[in-house]
Amino acid sequence: MKVAKTIDEIRRLVADARVGGARLVGLVPTMGALHEGHYSLIDVARGECDFVVVSIFVNPTQFAPNEDYRNYPRPVENDLAGCESHGVDAVFAPSADEMYQAGFAATVKVAGLTESMEGRCRPGHFDGVCTVVAKLFNIVGPNVAYFGAKDYQQSAVIRKMVADLDMPLRIAVCPIVREADGLAMSSRNANLDDAERIQAPVLHESLRLAERLIREGERNAANVIESVQSLLGENAPLGEADYVAIVDPDSLAAVEEIESDVVVALAVKFPSARLIDNMRVDVPKTSR
Ligand code: AMP
């Protein structure tokens, strides 16, 4: 496994791989502190591609000034060992200065899909995400890039960016990987203290409650949201819900009457970490 710290180096590694016969290059963009969620993406990429690149870059432009950019975990040696053991061909781990040269002035912005949920709570977040992901695509030139459904809105925004800007690659979205108690794996889980960690699985429990209510026939989204909020309030008093939303899986528009498949998404701010989770609920045709 090669580790590239500069844009020139990773470009050379990918170009050499292509000359050597690699037809499909896969990219797994991450911010490091890798866990089984990331490794699930890497394993899918390894199964599908001839040359697998993992980028590890804590992107400063997607964090607001009051957010956890500085505290974000950076266990570099562990991450490299994990990538090696999952058969990664090359890791791209640039510095912030390498990615953002002095005078950097470009922004990639996707309107619409970015304006609710995470975009509303974290102004500018998706501009930072789209800009860095567009740069990574231009730098690595992958045929396929792998994202997790854990960040559902992000995957929808990236798909839209790729479609609208005619970027020549496929976006693969892989399922959420969870701990045994249901908590979605996240690099930020490491920052939770013991009491917060005990309460954190309620994010998933409340998504399951929403799923059950919808499956049982509740069609009013506001009623489902209210039930979810009260479960969160009772079982995760250390957390504060940023939002609970029920949206169309494609447009991400808020749904009032649930008549077809929806995504239930939420964000809960604990004192030590802000957590997000979501679940797609398929609405059976017979009950529509
Ligand atoms: P991050 O390092 O948090 O930016 O995540 C990098 C990629 O891994 C994103 O596409 C995430 O959606 C994905 N990811 C993070 N956590 C999980 C998880 N628990 N299951 C599946 N994918 C995940």
Side-chain angles (χ1 to χ4, degrees), residues 29-31 35 37-38 41 72 147-148 150-151 175-177 185:
T30 83
M31 298 203 301
H35 50 65
H38 297 114
L41 307 185
Y72 201 85
F147 292 85
K150 157 89 185 335
D151 298 88
I176 301 175
V177 178
M185 291 196 182

Side-chain angles (χ1 to χ4, degrees), residues 204-217:
H204 182 236
E205 283 157 30
S206 57
L207 292 172
R208 290 183 54 191
L209 169 66
E211 178 188 45
R212 201 182 73 230
L213 292 172
I214 296 168
R215 290 254 158 89
E216 286 172 359

Side-chain angles (χ1 to χ4, degrees), residues 3-174:
V3 179
K5 292 195 176 301
T6 67
I7 293 168
D8 282 351
E9 280 174 277
I10 191 66
R11 281 205 164 125
R12 202 168 320 119
L13 290 173
V14 174
D16 288 350
R18 291 213 186 265
V19 168
R23 226 171 35 81
L24 281 183
V25 173
L27 171 66
V28 183
T30 83
M31 298 203 301
L34 302 180
H35 50 65
E36 291 306 321
H38 297 114
Y39 292 127
S40 73
L41 307 185
I42 292 171
D43 291 346
V44 175
R46 182 69 284 168
E48 293 181 354
C49 298
D50 306 310
F51 192 78
V52 174
V53 179
V54 172
S55 61
I56 298 180
F57 180 58
V58 186
N59 174 38
T61 67
Q62 69 190 68
F63 290 79
N66 62 333
E67 292 183 349
D68 55 352
Y69 175 67
R70 279 175 192 285
N71 300 344
Y72 201 85
R74 293 169 171 83
V76 180
E77 294 308 316
N78 270 355
D79 287 350
L80 294 180
C83 285
E84 175 106 57
S85 73
H86 283 261
V88 170
D89 295 298
V91 171
F92 177 46
S95 66
D97 288 345
E98 176 71 9
M99 289 295 273
Y100 300 107
Q101 307 277 334
F104 186 89
T107 302
V108 180
K109 188 179 195 73
V110 172
L113 291 179
T114 56
E115 283 153 25
S116 61
M117 300 190 286
E118 289 303 287
R120 179 169 301 162
C121 296
R122 306 182 66 188
H125 170 68
F126 284 120
D127 289 354
V129 169
C130 288
T131 304
V132 80
V133 170
K135 281 176 68 71
L136 290 168
F137 290 173
N138 283 335
I139 291 165
V140 174
N143 302 88
V144 193
Y146 296 84
F147 292 85
K150 157 89 185 335
D151 298 88
Y152 187 84
Q153 187 175 15
Q154 171 176 277
S155 67
V157 169
I158 299 291
R159 279 179 188 279
K160 184 77 176 133
M161 173 183 82
V162 164
D164 284 3
L165 297 180
D166 307 299
M167 293 179 169
L169 78 162
R170 176 168 74 83
I171 301 299
V173 181
C174 304

